Amino acid sequence: MTTEQDVLGRIKALTEEEHELRQKAQQGSIDSAEEHERLKNLEVALDQCWDLLRQRRALRVAGGNPDEAQARPGSEVEGYLQ
């Protein structure tokens, strides 16, 4: 079972990883192609986490069970319209 605290912890860890990656890129420790690919993967993972968190909160507000929320595939969460 994934709790909101678990999801928030994952978001924090991914955000920290993103900051570290950007620092390494500025320092020249990694090349831009590697940075771009890893950032893309991080962005998808973050979008999935935020989507899962929104699902959990919506279920709770609607009187449902937040534990029924499930992570959606990256292709789905990246396809949402703004």
Side-chain angles (χ1 to χ4, degrees):
M1 171 174 57
T2 301
T3 66
E4 283 189 26
Q5 291 304 315
D6 294 334
V7 178
L8 290 168
R10 178 78 174 131
I11 289 170
K12 182 178 185 230
L14 289 168
T15 303
E16 289 172 357
E17 185 178 345
E18 179 183 21
H19 289 225
E20 290 172 14
L21 179 61
R22 291 186 189 279
Q23 283 180 337
K24 287 180 181 179
Q26 287 177 347
Q27 297 167 353
S29 300
I30 59 173
D31 66 40
S32 63
E34 181 182 359
E35 175 198 16
H36 177 73
E37 185 62 30
R38 288 177 59 193
L39 278 174
K40 180 180 168 186
N41 292 335
L42 284 171
E43 289 170 0
V44 171
L46 279 166
D47 287 346
Q48 288 175 300
C49 287
W50 284 115
D51 177 69
L52 180 58
L53 190 60
R54 283 189 294 274
Q55 285 182 61
R56 291 184 59 80
R57 290 176 176 173
L59 281 166
R60 183 177 298 108
V61 168
N65 181 355
D67 292 334
E68 292 178 3
Q70 295 191 13
R72 295 180 174 134
S75 59
E76 187 174 338
V77 297
E78 292 301 300
Y80 293 153
L81 298 176
Q82 301 273 340

